Amino acid sequence: MNVLNLTQMLEFSQKGDERGHLVIVEGMQDIPFDIKRIFYIYGSDKDVVRGQHANKISEFVLINVAGTSKVRVKDGKGNETVFSLNRPHTGIYLPKMIWKEMYDFSEDSVLLCIANTHYDPDEYIRDYDEYLKIVNEAGEEK
Ligand code: TYD
């Protein structure tokens, strides 16, 4: 299975009433993994590109709980897709071993990131050439 096919937008349940909105994201229910870590990114300028890495083990769900951003994903085999994160009740699921870049942050962007792992810098691939080498040597079927 190609990693781009595993990448998908998710829509979460909303429990809005006259008091406002409430969005629910439960591990193994609304997203396809148990949650080990959350972090969030804000205050990134419009011209900043974040991410620029792939993860050997980590899977992520990214949600712009405020503002907007874009996520470019690449499979290292010449295919890429851009997703817009622009609603607080939608997110993107990113499987392991996909190259990702987050960019075009709005001034009010707060990008919530949910992961299935604790942080381990050793499972990050931050060099694109190394990523290309790994995915193209893996002999994975297309
Ligand atoms: P980095 O992975 O470069 O952020 P992004 O992918 O959003 O561009 O992380 C920035 C710094 O924060 C880097 O020094 C590693 C550290 N960090 C942690 O310590 N724990 C974490 O869970 C994350 C995501 C980053």
Side-chain angles (χ1 to χ4, degrees):
M1 175 69 90
N2 186 289
V3 287
L4 281 186
N5 295 334
L6 296 173
T7 304
Q8 57 172 310
M9 292 299 296
L10 304 173
E11 187 148 344
F12 306 116
S13 0
Q14 295 183 82
K15 300 275 183 196
D17 58 30
E18 65 285 350
R19 297 169 299 166
H21 301 284
L22 188 155
V23 175
I24 302 136
V25 184
E26 289 203 46
M28 292 308 288
Q29 292 187 27
D30 306 294
I31 65 175
F33 55 75
D34 274 325
I35 298 166
K36 287 256 182 68
R37 172 169 53 129
I38 65 167
F39 54 97
Y40 41 94
I41 294 166
Y42 60 97
S44 288
D45 286 340
K46 207 168 183 56
D47 56 354
V48 161
V49 181
R50 302 200 58 122
Q52 298 186 288
H53 49 60
N55 292 77
K56 293 179 188 166
I57 300 168
S58 293
E59 301 165 41
F60 296 91
V61 169
L62 310 187
I63 305 165
N64 254 110
V65 292
T68 60
S69 70
K70 293 196 176 80
V71 185
R72 177 178 292 111
V73 289
K74 298 184 188 181
D75 66 359
K77 296 173 181 177
N79 307 302
E80 66 175 70
T81 313
V82 172
F83 293 89
S84 288
L85 297 177
N86 52 20
R87 289 177 298 165
H89 66 285
T90 62
I92 183 171
Y93 167 70
L94 301 172
K96 65 183 178 180
M97 287 309 289
I98 195 161
W99 188 265
K100 49 199 164 304
E101 299 172 352
M102 296 83 86
Y103 66 104
D104 204 13
F105 297 94
S106 64
E107 214 174 299
D108 59 346
S109 173
V110 181
L111 181 60
L112 178 69
C113 307
I114 304 172
N116 68 333
T117 58
H118 294 296
Y119 182 65
D120 173 7
D122 293 340
E123 63 99 18
Y124 278 68
I125 306 165
R126 292 183 179 273
D127 182 273
Y128 191 61
D129 289 335
E130 185 191 345
Y131 171 70
L132 288 179
K133 207 169 153 204
I134 293 170
V135 293
N136 289 297
E137 276 177 3
E140 192 186 80
E141 83 278 16
K142 295 213 167 170

